Amino acid sequence: MKEELMPRSRSDPVVKKLDNPLFHSIFTPELNTLAQLFRKYNYQLKLAGGAVRDILMDIKPADLDFATDATPEEMKIMFEKENIRMINNKGEKHGTITSRINDKENFEVTTLRIDTHTDGRHAKVKFTKDWKLDALRRDLTINSMFLDFEGRIYDYFFGYDDLQKRRVVFVGNPTCRIKEDYLRIFRYFRFYGRIAEQPDIHDESTIIAIKENIHGLEGISGERIWNEWSKILSGNYAKELTLKLLECGITRYVGLSENPNIKNFEIVYDTSKKNNISLQPITYLATMLKDENEVLQLHNRLKLSAYERDLALFLVRYKEDKPSVNLKFWKRILIHWKGNVVNARSYICELLNSKQYFSLAKDVEKLVIPRFPVSGDMLKQYVRKGKMMGIVIKELKDIWLDKDFQTNAEELLQEVPRIISELEDKKLEKDNMFLSK
């Protein structure tokens, strides 16, 4: 890389030495074994990226990622010599070797690398021994630091300073970082929600770069977008960050209509937060949608789970209605639900919470509905046609509900002849009307 393209960096990257309980807590016997192994073969090994950031924020990292100056081939030779098992070779072409120590703990170690070619989604890499060049290819300054096993923090691009200021910016030129992987647009907002202390103090050049490159999201898979966006919607400043994303022009690239119902989204979000109610990420998006077609359009782009898709469809179907405050109304929906009743209960509670019926939502959540006492086998002696069977069961469930679930199978079966007779009379009346026309 030409020196003039290198952003401002520290001549001495070591900015701090840690010696606290959190730092020492990451050292399991297995990690100590890994560290000793790399020292034995004279390779450098450091903790990298998000784990370093979390430790500096006094958060125990959920995952540990490591970087090394050893090449994948050198790591493989080393692990084979030491009889260390290696698993999952899918990351090898990108420089990642996963070792399993003591058949207890897995460690992903990635060779220092630079991106030689990127297309906005994937990168071709070249291995390097230069820690600064590896830091340069990372997305945000706060994610570009390293931590060695003596506790020294290595920070080439002022990520430590940015973390102290709760400032979220890209490493170097934001346009270059975004063009390397357009998903970084969403990653920027996700980390902003985690790090920043105010909802709207973005670096101006960052927002300009995002707006100028928002079109690149068109080539990013919906699953990757939704994975990031759902975390934003579950985190701090979800409303403000989603509004900023919309301002940047994401609608056409994420499956939303050109004119989403932003006002409704804001009302539902503000009300839920005021009442300390946590709604699901897809619920917030559903508040912006007009009809089922818009739900399916969003689903086709983001590849929602079946649960999320069906929840959004349910919310949109009932969005104009004032929910019934009669608990029996919701019991009826549950007993007639075709599919997973646990999900149905969740959909109803989500709808009621989004419409500020918080107490009713709690009542629905606590509902106990017993098992319906009549089975299809019990009805076979009365009903021969499959379509008729479904209609009879529906009628019996309504009787069962009206009697507050106190009716037993024998009592319900006594109702079957009457139900069939009434259904046949209705059919005969309908046929006669047709013939008289």
Side-chain angles (χ1 to χ4, degrees), residues 332-364:
R332 195 177 303 279
I333 287 179
L334 287 171
I335 65 171
H336 290 306
W337 189 267
K338 294 185 186 342
N340 189 317
V341 178
V342 174
N343 287 353
R345 188 194 299 265
S346 173
Y347 299 160
I348 293 169
C349 291
E350 199 74 0
L351 173 72
L352 294 173
N353 279 325
S354 71
K355 288 183 170 286
Q356 303 175 43
Y357 288 76
F358 307 120
S359 177
L360 185 57
K362 288 180 181 176
D363 289 341
V364 171

Side-chain angles (χ1 to χ4, degrees), residues 69-288:
D69 58 352
T71 66
E73 196 59 36
E74 288 170 335
M75 281 192 277
K76 284 164 67 177
I77 292 170
M78 174 179 68
F79 288 137
E80 285 169 359
K81 279 185 179 178
E82 300 291 331
N83 294 315
I84 299 291
R85 183 180 163 205
M86 288 172 280
I87 61 174
N88 186 13
N89 61 5
K90 290 181 180 178
E92 188 175 333
K93 67 178 181 180
H94 295 294
T96 300
I97 300 294
T98 303
S99 60
R100 183 165 181 81
I101 308 291
N102 297 340
D103 203 26
K104 187 174 181 181
E105 197 170 355
N106 298 340
F107 297 99
E108 287 190 358
V109 184
T110 302
T111 302
L112 300 177
R113 57 190 181 169
I114 57 175
D115 297 336
T116 59
H117 173 77
T118 59
D119 62 5
R121 288 183 298 173
H122 309 107
K124 291 182 179 178
V125 302
K126 176 183 176 183
F127 303 131
T128 180
K129 301 286 185 183
D130 191 325
W131 290 86
K132 184 194 284 189
L133 291 182
D134 186 271
L136 179 62
R137 57 165 290 279
R138 295 174 183 266
D139 53 4
L140 305 169
T141 59
I142 57 172
N143 293 338
S144 69
M145 294 177 280
F146 304 102
L147 169 62
D148 71 16
F149 290 87
E150 285 69 51
R152 287 183 289 263
I153 298 286
Y154 296 78
D155 172 33
Y156 294 92
F157 299 109
F158 305 95
Y160 180 79
D161 307 63
D162 289 334
L163 194 59
Q164 301 308 302
K165 298 172 186 174
R166 294 296 188 263
R167 180 170 179 258
V168 182
V169 289
F170 288 101
V171 176
N173 186 322
T175 296
C176 291
R177 298 291 82 76
I178 290 169
K179 285 185 174 179
E180 288 165 355
D181 183 354
Y182 290 103
L183 188 67
R184 286 175 171 176
I185 290 172
F186 274 91
R187 282 177 58 80
Y188 164 79
F189 285 104
R190 174 160 69 86
F191 282 107
Y192 184 97
R194 287 184 60 181
I195 304 298
E197 292 181 324
Q198 295 181 46
D200 196 10
I201 49 169
H202 302 278
D203 175 74
E204 186 179 350
S205 64
T206 297
I207 297 301
I208 290 171
I210 287 172
K211 288 180 177 179
E212 290 176 348
N213 291 280
I214 203 76
H215 58 87
L217 290 173
E218 190 169 17
I220 302 297
S221 74
E223 293 95 331
R224 294 180 72 204
I225 289 174
W226 181 232
N227 183 50
E228 293 290 336
W229 198 2
S230 61
K231 292 173 184 174
I232 293 170
L233 288 164
S234 300
N236 298 327
Y237 319 131
K239 180 186 79 171
E240 293 85 354
L241 296 180
T242 293
L243 293 177
K244 182 62 76 171
L245 277 162
L246 292 171
E247 177 195 314
C248 289
I250 63 166
T251 52
R252 71 176 67 182
Y253 306 111
V254 297
L256 287 174
S257 70
E258 284 299 310
N259 296 297
N261 193 338
I262 295 172
K263 184 178 179 181
N264 191 43
F265 163 68
E266 292 184 272
I267 291 170
V268 171
Y269 183 86
D270 288 342
T271 305
S272 66
K273 290 303 170 188
K274 181 180 176 182
N275 290 277
N276 201 28
I277 297 293
S278 295
L279 297 177
Q280 298 182 45
I282 189 59
T283 300
Y284 290 124
L285 290 198
T287 62
M288 301 187 212

Side-chain angles (χ1 to χ4, degrees), residues 406-422:
Q406 298 303 309
T407 321
N408 61 33
E410 184 180 348
E411 292 168 332
L412 287 170
L413 288 172
Q414 289 173 5
E415 300 284 346
V416 174
R418 177 187 60 78
I419 293 170
I420 293 175
S421 177
E422 289 177 0

